Amino acid sequence: GTTRDAVDIRIVRDGQAVVLVDTAGMRKRSRITENVEYYSNLRTIRAVEQCDTACVFIDASEGLTHQDMAVVQHVMDARKGLVIAANKWDLVQPDRDQRTLFEESLVRLNGLEFVPIVRLSSRSGWHVPDLLKRALRISRERAKRISAPVLNRFLENLNRKQQPPSAGGKLIRIHFAAQVNVKPPTFAFFVNHPRLLKENYKRFLEAGLREAFGFQGVPLSLVFKQK
């Protein structure tokens, strides 16, 4: 039947207690016609905000739709771990046109290349166990902490490759960095002129952090403070 409410399923996987939350699908507001659906959507949003890692199921035979991206963006805004489950892959695999449609739809994930995609079939069970493995791995990544000495060696190496571009005739210097939180991983960079640091260099920093330390499927929070 149609899921109307979030349903908790408690399991133990490799000695680890896990709560799976099966939520109602999120539809466009313009298509929500019943009070039941409205509150069902609210409970789904609340489940996302309370979870550690969200598995967003999409119909691979349709590709990544705008509504799917709205759900993905909600997970990103909530700073949760994310894995995309491309369901019904058994329908797509033999169909070249549908495979092309699916690959072209992934362009919508621009800037979210760190989000893994698990191709699976709920009907046959193909690759379904891989989804849980990936979700648990992402949950561990969200809790990962990088020590200050390791982080600042990374920063020194990055500065050797590329210094922050100057702005307004002023040289920009990042003096040191520290990880100040986990779940989500949050990094503070202490800069002489934080307001002048350009967005493309901030993206360069994030890409460098991911290349050095992983954080697959995990949104990172970078804050820049005056030093």
Side-chain angles (χ1 to χ4, degrees):
T2 302
T3 304
R4 292 288 197 178
D5 204 351
V7 179
D8 288 3
I9 304 163
R10 299 177 184 275
I11 66 171
V12 176
R13 178 68 180 242
D14 298 328
Q16 180 179 355
V18 178
V19 179
L20 305 178
V21 184
D22 179 20
T23 70
M26 293 176 68
R27 299 208 290 176
K28 291 182 180 178
R29 289 186 181 275
S30 60
R31 294 183 181 175
I32 297 175
T33 56
E34 303 175 29
N35 284 339
V36 172
E37 283 199 73
Y38 172 76
Y39 289 108
S40 177
N41 256 24
L42 286 183
R43 285 190 286 270
T44 296
I45 290 170
R46 192 174 299 121
V48 169
E49 292 170 348
Q50 293 175 349
C51 79
D52 193 54
T53 299
C55 301
V56 176
F57 279 75
I58 69 169
D59 186 335
S61 64
E62 294 183 5
L64 193 69
T65 67
H66 289 291
Q67 176 61 9
D68 294 330
M69 276 307 303
V71 178
V72 166
Q73 190 58 56
H74 181 72
V75 176
M76 290 290 101
D77 292 344
R79 317 307 289 165
K80 303 299 183 176
L82 171 64
V83 55
I84 292 177
N87 194 22
K88 302 183 182 178
W89 192 252
D90 49 330
L91 301 180
V92 173
Q93 207 165 13
D95 190 318
R96 181 178 298 176
D97 290 339
Q98 283 188 324
R99 287 204 308 272
T100 301
L101 171 67
F102 176 75
E103 296 298 333
E104 289 177 348
S105 75
L106 296 185
V107 172
R108 295 196 176 109
L109 286 173
N110 182 37
L112 299 177
E113 289 82 6
F114 63 91
V115 176
I117 300 168
V118 177
R119 293 160 173 80
L120 56 84
S121 168
S122 294
R123 184 176 64 177
S124 69
W126 182 73
H127 279 188
V128 170
D130 294 343
L131 179 62
L132 181 55
K133 289 179 184 177
R134 185 63 63 94
L136 292 174
R137 192 180 308 150
I138 290 171
S139 294
R140 290 192 293 270
E141 289 286 284
R142 283 190 82 230
K144 185 162 62 178
R145 187 178 290 276
I146 311 301
S147 69
V150 170
L151 186 59
N152 282 284
R153 280 198 297 272
F154 152 80
L155 186 59
E156 288 173 12
N157 293 332
L158 204 67
N159 280 332
R160 289 193 193 102
K161 292 180 183 178
Q162 184 176 330
Q163 288 281 351
S166 58
K170 295 180 179 179
L171 293 175
I172 311 297
R173 292 286 182 266
I174 302 177
H175 296 288
F176 63 95
Q179 184 175 354
V180 295
N181 211 344
V182 296
K183 296 185 177 183
T186 305
F187 297 90
F189 293 88
F190 295 84
V191 190
N192 58 346
H193 299 292
R195 293 183 180 179
L196 299 181
L197 198 63
K198 296 182 178 179
E199 288 301 318
N200 60 350
Y201 194 81
K202 293 178 183 180
R203 291 192 293 270
F204 173 71
L205 272 177
E206 180 173 342
L209 284 169
R210 294 189 184 281
E211 183 179 352
F213 305 116
F215 294 113
Q216 187 184 47
V218 179
L220 302 181
S221 294
L222 276 60
V223 294
F224 299 90
K225 299 187 176 184
Q226 179 74 47
K227 171 60 178 177

